[in-house]
Amino acid sequence: MQDRIHTADAEPGDDVTVAGWVHEIRDLGGIAFLILRDSTGKIQIKFEKDEMDEELVETGLGVSRESVVSVSGAVEEEPRAPTGVEITPESVEVVAPADPELPLDPSGKVDADLSTRLDNRTLDLRKDDVQAIFEIRSEILRAVRERFREFECTEITTPKIVATGTEGGTELFPITYFGEEAFMNQSPQLFKQLIAGSNVERVFEIGPIFRAEEHNTPRHLNEATSIDFEGAFCDQNDAMDVVEGVVKAAYEAIAENCSDELEALGLEDEFEVPEEAFPRISYEEAIERINATGELDEQLVWGDDLPTEGEKALGDDVGGHYFITDWPSEIKPFYIKDHDDDDQLSTGFDLMHPRMELVSGGQREHRHEKLIEGFEQQGLDPEQFEYYTKMFKYGMPPHAGFGLGGERLIMTILGLDNIREAVLFPRDRQRLSP
Amino acid sequence: MQDRIHTADAEPGDDVTVAGWVHEIRDLGGIAFLILRDSTGKIQIKFEKDEMDEELVETGLGVSRESVVSVSGAVEEEPRAPTGVEITPESVEVVAPADPELPLDPSGKVDADLSTRLDNRTLDLRKDDVQAIFEIRSEILRAVRERFREFECTEITTPKIVATGTEGGTELFPITYFGEEAFMNQSPQLFKQLIAGSNVERVFEIGPIFRAEEHNTPRHLNEATSIDFEGAFCDQNDAMDVVEGVVKAAYEAIAENCSDELEALGLEDEFEVPEEAFPRISYEEAIERINATGELDEQLVWGDDLPTEGEKALGDDVGGHYFITDWPSEIKPFYIKDHDDDDQLSTGFDLMHPRMELVSGGQREHRHEKLIEGFEQQGLDPEQFEYYTKMFKYGMPPHAGFGLGGERLIMTILGLDNIREAVLFPRDRQRLSP
């Protein structure tokens, strides 16, 4: 459809062909308007019933909402039209008629629950605000990759079909792989480490991860997008620098390139790019500050994991993104390195948004013997992971990295209530289709 | 490790700390050299045995190959050194010693078979030429996405866990999803169409696809990277324009940004960016030209699929990339639209490299009734795909798209013998780990 132009490009004085969906028909009697919508916006098509070809008027005004039409005609200035221009049609073609009974109203005038929306995602995505979320998602992915490249990272792709999970057999979806037992990977953790141990040194991957968690909450997905980094000769502080750069890159790109989308979401006034450095708060300080808020019934003691209410209290206290560093070793997974001078204290860190955890990272255990001990302490059989551990015998440099939840990033940036709104076709405990 | 610099950044006159792998130790008697390697290259560390601290010399020259060392010292010009500079060390620290028995020689002096290489990918990636493949892979992904964005595409992510495969139950890996039967997706086909039918209009996705094919050949993978495009208000010619732009973008980016990598692969002289338009040859003309080569024992007739030898003969005849268009409808899947004036002739196309097929695409069937007929003709139950077909009742615009095999693209660009060389951790009939 080579000669079609976007509605946003229709200039007064031009003869154009536009094509899109019938957003609305406004019949004022002698005059009527068809509002045509495409990816770039909407345009008014004017029908003067007594002055125009009868068949043309019938076609243009008889068409059902959400049908696809192609309209050719002259663009004219019209200050009363929503975009300041309108088209007087010379021809109208119904390209794809829509059933008049729509399961969802893309004009947004009738609310639909999330489940109906997800069942009818094509129609749902015709709403400006829903489209805006996914245009922003696309922009976030672009900006994050660009920032990773500024950090001299190479983009990698690691396998999603694996023989063993990162942390053993829990929370894995089993698959049958030519008669063998295999799993869908829950994290690129082990693979990205194997690459960071080579000349490639610094890597990132943005890809799907799969977790068979039974949780069915507004912040959990069983298939999610993980934004992963791993860097040789990096420690946890370097990894935190990269996290901070990447998260800020997402905000900065939206501020720079997505003003229309922010407006569609009603966020044009409240959207803010975090300017300050993200504070790095030790776990020890975190529990002190949480206890000081008085929000918890029971005081936290060293060694406790942080309960959701505790994170919330601290998030309110800090008022923005912050890191929690220096966690007790026993709370963090075996592949996180302990501090050299204190084996009860790990180099693990989390990046927190006031609403939830976004990132988990740390320096990795790169010493072969210590790694084997770690597997055993975690109750895992190191032999099952030999494909991974054996590479630690041949010059594995110190390295650090993180995993950032892609949908949580989008959700917190845009203030979405439910993480499913950040995914085109979410997978959860109940939802496997579409 | 904040004060470490890359070897490529070591300038004469500077006091620096470099860290990397021990590539080689050359002992000439009174003088010896440690060649240290990192992601940016190699640098010579000079040891003058009689003039330097004994312990320093012992540490530096006693370390095994592929150990990780950190070296601090002064950089000096030295025309006889491989990079024109060398470091006189003030300190040498062995950061991670390597077992002297290496399963693979990263200096590349001893050949290893592909299976050994894949089993020891960390070591394998320390070879310049192997590293180069994956630096180029990363650059291809960047360039391809950038070109898609120039075509006004939005990046999307579609689910990899699905209730039904694109083309029914064949060649799917089954998974157990909370007690329900599900599959790993073999193509984002149906999902990308559902998005193209919304305001988003033009989309691309680069992600994993999974095919339980029994083939175990140098050009098949069971987990591969698919580069997908779908565009509303596009026909097959528009889709071919996008394919051509994207494939050329990959070549152009390599020519512009990967000269070191091409040199590492020995391709600096033979690498060429395709400048000419890719010829669009109809299926009918293709079989005539194949028959005319006399390479096949039996002449092809209209309706035959093209045998590999036929593709090869035509590829040699054309001498570069080319499209085969206007395939017989019955060879192409149900979702490919037929020509309006001939329902035996489809709008499907393939992009061929002389060595193999890279892309399959076409205009899609957007009419609900015809789509249902297509499912039935293919022996599929349309009810199982209702989540997809029902959206075609609500104003589905004409649309077209394609899927491009990411590893095949890399393989043909770099002239790799085996597609497994284009993947960090390939999955095939036998290989599930690492």
Side-chain angles (χ1 to χ4, degrees):
Chain A
M1 310 200 45
Q2 305 278 6
D3 54 357
R4 173 212 183 207
I5 68 160
H6 277 134
T7 58
D9 300 327
E11 298 287 344
D14 291 351
D15 280 311
V16 301
T17 297
V18 294
W21 292 268
V22 176
H23 186 67
E24 201 180 351
I25 290 177
R26 292 186 197 140
D27 198 327
L28 309 177
I31 196 166
F33 301 105
L34 183 162
I35 310 298
L36 182 145
R37 189 189 66 239
D38 69 10
S39 63
T40 64
K42 303 183 187 78
I43 198 160
Q44 173 168 304
I45 318 291
K46 180 176 65 180
F47 292 87
E48 292 172 298
K49 293 182 189 170
D50 298 337
E51 290 167 38
M52 289 167 72
D53 177 76
E54 203 175 318
E55 207 182 309
L56 182 78
V57 173
E58 247 174 53
T59 306
L61 300 181
V63 67
S64 54
R65 283 175 51 216
E66 295 307 315
S67 296
V68 176
V69 295
S70 173
V71 176
S72 298
V75 187
E76 283 154 42
E77 278 194 58
E78 172 48 69
R80 290 166 295 181
T83 58
V85 298
E86 66 181 10
I87 294 176
T88 304
E90 273 150 41
S91 73
V92 175
E93 186 199 345
V94 179
V95 177
D99 193 307
E101 295 282 330
L102 300 171
L104 185 81
D105 176 15
S107 77
K109 287 179 188 160
V110 183
D111 269 351
D113 62 23
L114 185 57
S115 181
T116 304
R117 290 177 47 202
L118 296 175
D119 284 342
N120 299 280
R121 206 46 150 158
T122 305
L123 286 165
D124 187 45
L125 277 161
R126 294 184 191 163
K127 291 187 282 196
D128 291 347
D129 55 344
V130 180
Q131 181 189 357
I133 292 172
F134 292 96
E135 301 291 359
I136 287 174
R137 181 182 165 116
S138 173
E139 177 63 11
I140 288 174
L141 293 175
R142 189 200 62 72
V144 162
R145 286 200 201 91
E146 187 175 276
R147 189 62 54 99
F148 274 126
R149 289 177 192 276
E150 287 167 15
F151 282 116
E152 302 185 305
C153 295
T154 301
E155 179 169 358
I156 61 169
T157 312
T158 64
K160 306 311 160 202
I161 301 178
V162 296
T164 53
T166 306
E167 292 168 39
T170 58
E171 302 185 345
L172 290 168
F173 289 114
I175 66 172
T176 306
Y177 190 78
F178 299 117
E180 276 187 78
E181 183 187 60
F183 302 97
M184 302 186 71
N185 205 7
Q186 67 194 149
S187 158
Q189 182 64 34
L190 308 186
F191 296 99
K192 64 181 180 171
Q193 289 185 258
L194 291 180
I195 308 307
S198 79
N199 290 4
V200 181
E201 284 193 13
R202 288 176 162 229
V203 299
F204 77 91
E205 176 171 18
I206 302 182
I209 56 168
F210 308 93
R211 303 203 169 185
E213 288 185 13
E214 296 275 352
H215 297 294
N216 210 10
T217 81
R219 61 175 73 179
H220 285 92
L221 290 167
N222 295 104
E223 176 174 344
T225 305
S226 188
I227 299 172
D228 275 272
F229 165 80
E230 202 70 27
F233 305 104
C234 288
D235 63 19
Q236 73 275 25
N237 294 305
D238 299 321
M240 282 188 272
D241 291 344
V242 177
V243 171
E244 187 164 337
V246 158
V247 170
K248 285 182 172 169
Y251 281 89
E252 288 161 12
I254 295 169
E256 202 170 315
N257 303 319
C258 302
S259 52
D260 289 351
E261 287 78 9
L262 288 175
E263 208 177 312
L265 288 161
L267 294 175
E268 66 276 27
D269 293 328
E270 64 189 80
F271 184 79
E272 267 180 62
V273 178
E275 305 283 352
E276 304 292 318
F278 297 165
R280 298 181 184 189
I281 299 169
S282 72
Y283 166 85
E284 189 172 358
E285 185 189 337
I287 58 174
E288 280 167 19
R289 284 177 69 165
I290 292 169
N291 286 339
T293 64
E295 292 286 333
L296 299 195
D297 295 338
E298 242 175 288
Q299 296 274 295
L300 295 171
V301 296
W302 208 91
D304 288 345
D305 208 345
L306 303 188
T308 308
E309 319 87 75
E311 289 177 0
K312 197 183 167 312
L314 185 55
D316 290 345
D317 192 22
V318 178
H321 293 87
Y322 62 99
F323 289 100
I324 305 178
T325 66
D326 305 301
W327 287 78
S329 302
E330 59 175 27
I331 301 184
K332 286 290 174 186
F334 66 91
Y335 51 76
I336 300 283
K337 190 169 174 289
D338 296 332
H339 279 274
D340 285 331
D341 53 3
D342 185 349
D343 69 3
Q344 300 301 303
L345 207 61
S346 87
T347 63
F349 65 83
D350 289 354
L351 175 67
M352 307 296 299
H353 177 277
R355 289 180 66 194
M356 70 189 79
E357 181 191 325
L358 293 179
V359 171
S360 186
Q363 188 173 340
R364 315 309 188 180
E365 181 51 71
H366 67 282
R367 296 161 298 183
H368 183 259
E369 266 175 53
K370 292 275 182 193
L371 188 68
I372 299 288
E373 279 173 28
F375 272 102
E376 284 162 354
Q377 280 166 17
Q378 199 117 349
L380 296 171
D381 177 7
E383 293 229 339
Q384 281 207 317
F385 293 86
E386 210 220 336
Y387 67 89
Y388 164 74
T389 60
K390 72 173 177 182
M391 288 298 113
F392 286 67
K393 291 193 286 189
Y394 307 116
M396 179 60 71
H399 58 287
F402 64 79
L404 160 61
E407 284 78 16
R408 288 186 169 203
L409 179 65
I410 298 164
M411 184 182 179
T412 52
I413 290 178
L414 299 182
L416 305 177
D417 289 330
N418 194 313
I419 199 164
R420 290 161 186 76
E421 294 180 72
V423 194
L424 287 167
F425 300 102
R427 292 290 173 259
D428 64 29
R429 191 74 186 70
Q430 272 85 41
R431 183 170 286 276
L432 183 55
S433 171
Chain B
M1 310 200 47
Q2 305 278 7
D3 54 358
R4 173 211 183 208
I5 68 159
H6 276 134
T7 59
D9 299 328
E11 298 286 345
D14 291 352
D15 280 312
V16 302
T17 297
V18 294
W21 293 268
V22 176
H23 186 67
E24 201 179 351
I25 290 177
R26 291 185 198 142
D27 197 328
L28 310 177
I31 196 166
F33 301 106
L34 183 162
I35 309 299
L36 182 146
R37 191 189 65 239
D38 68 9
S39 63
T40 63
K42 303 183 186 75
I43 198 161
Q44 174 168 304
I45 318 292
K46 179 177 65 181
F47 293 88
E48 292 171 299
K49 293 182 190 169
D50 298 337
E51 289 167 39
M52 290 167 71
D53 177 77
E54 204 176 319
E55 205 183 311
L56 182 77
V57 172
E58 248 174 52
T59 305
L61 301 180
V63 66
S64 54
R65 284 174 51 215
E66 295 308 316
S67 296
V68 176
V69 295
S70 173
V71 176
S72 298
V75 186
E76 283 153 42
E77 278 193 57
E78 172 47 70
R80 289 167 297 181
T83 58
V85 298
E86 66 182 10
I87 294 176
T88 303
E90 273 151 40
S91 74
V92 174
E93 187 200 344
V94 179
V95 177
D99 193 310
E101 296 281 329
L102 299 172
L104 184 82
D105 176 15
S107 76
K109 287 179 187 159
V110 184
D111 268 353
D113 63 22
L114 186 58
S115 181
T116 305
R117 291 177 47 203
L118 296 175
D119 284 342
N120 299 281
R121 205 44 149 162
T122 305
L123 286 166
D124 187 45
L125 276 161
R126 294 185 192 162
K127 291 187 281 197
D128 291 347
D129 56 343
V130 180
Q131 180 189 357
I133 292 172
F134 292 97
E135 301 292 358
I136 287 176
R137 182 184 164 114
S138 173
E139 177 62 11
I140 289 174
L141 293 175
R142 189 200 61 71
V144 162
R145 287 199 200 91
E146 187 175 276
R147 188 62 53 98
F148 274 127
R149 289 177 194 277
E150 288 167 15
F151 282 115
E152 301 184 306
C153 294
T154 301
E155 180 170 359
I156 60 169
T157 313
T158 64
K160 307 309 161 202
I161 301 177
V162 296
T164 53
T166 306
E167 294 167 37
T170 59
E171 301 185 344
L172 289 167
F173 289 114
I175 65 174
T176 306
Y177 190 79
F178 299 117
E180 276 187 77
E181 182 187 61
F183 303 96
M184 301 185 72
N185 205 7
Q186 66 194 150
S187 157
Q189 181 63 37
L190 309 186
F191 296 100
K192 65 181 179 169
Q193 290 187 257
L194 291 179
I195 308 308
S198 79
N199 289 4
V200 181
E201 286 193 11
R202 286 176 163 228
V203 299
F204 76 92
E205 175 170 21
I206 302 182
I209 56 168
F210 309 92
R211 302 203 169 184
E213 288 185 14
E214 296 276 351
H215 297 294
N216 210 11
T217 81
R219 61 174 74 179
H220 284 92
L221 290 167
N222 295 106
E223 177 174 344
T225 304
S226 188
I227 299 172
D228 275 273
F229 165 80
E230 202 70 27
F233 304 105
C234 288
D235 63 19
Q236 72 275 25
N237 294 305
D238 300 321
M240 282 189 271
D241 291 344
V242 177
V243 171
E244 188 165 335
V246 158
V247 170
K248 286 182 172 171
Y251 281 89
E252 288 161 11
I254 295 169
E256 202 169 316
N257 302 319
C258 301
S259 51
D260 289 351
E261 287 78 9
L262 288 175
E263 209 177 310
L265 288 160
L267 295 174
E268 66 275 26
D269 293 328
E270 65 189 79
F271 183 80
E272 267 179 61
V273 177
E275 305 284 352
E276 304 292 317
F278 297 166
R280 299 182 184 189
I281 299 170
S282 72
Y283 166 85
E284 190 172 357
E285 186 190 337
I287 57 173
E288 279 167 19
R289 285 176 69 166
I290 293 170
N291 286 339
T293 63
E295 293 286 331
L296 298 195
D297 295 338
E298 241 176 288
Q299 296 275 294
L300 294 172
V301 295
W302 208 92
D304 287 346
D305 208 345
L306 304 188
T308 308
E309 320 88 74
E311 289 177 359
K312 197 182 166 313
L314 185 55
D316 290 344
D317 192 22
V318 178
H321 293 87
Y322 62 97
F323 289 101
I324 305 179
T325 66
D326 305 300
W327 286 78
S329 302
E330 59 176 24
I331 300 184
K332 287 290 174 187
F334 67 91
Y335 51 77
I336 300 283
K337 191 169 174 287
D338 297 331
H339 279 274
D340 285 330
D341 54 3
D342 183 351
D343 68 3
Q344 299 302 302
L345 206 62
S346 87
T347 63
F349 66 82
D350 290 354
L351 175 67
M352 307 297 298
H353 177 277
R355 288 181 65 196
M356 70 189 77
E357 182 190 324
L358 292 178
V359 170
S360 186
Q363 187 173 340
R364 315 309 188 181
E365 181 53 71
H366 68 281
R367 296 160 297 183
H368 183 259
E369 266 175 55
K370 292 275 181 190
L371 188 68
I372 299 289
E373 279 173 30
F375 272 101
E376 285 162 353
Q377 279 166 17
Q378 200 116 348
L380 297 171
D381 175 8
E383 293 230 338
Q384 281 207 316
F385 294 86
E386 209 217 337
Y387 68 88
Y388 163 75
T389 59
K390 73 174 176 182
M391 287 297 115
F392 285 66
K393 290 192 287 189
Y394 307 116
M396 179 60 72
H399 57 288
F402 65 79
L404 160 61
E407 284 79 15
R408 287 187 169 204
L409 179 65
I410 298 163
M411 183 182 178
T412 51
I413 290 177
L414 299 181
L416 305 177
D417 289 332
N418 194 314
I419 198 164
R420 290 160 186 77
E421 294 181 72
V423 194
L424 286 167
F425 300 101
R427 292 291 174 259
D428 63 29
R429 192 72 187 70
Q430 271 86 39
R431 183 169 286 277
L432 182 55
S433 172

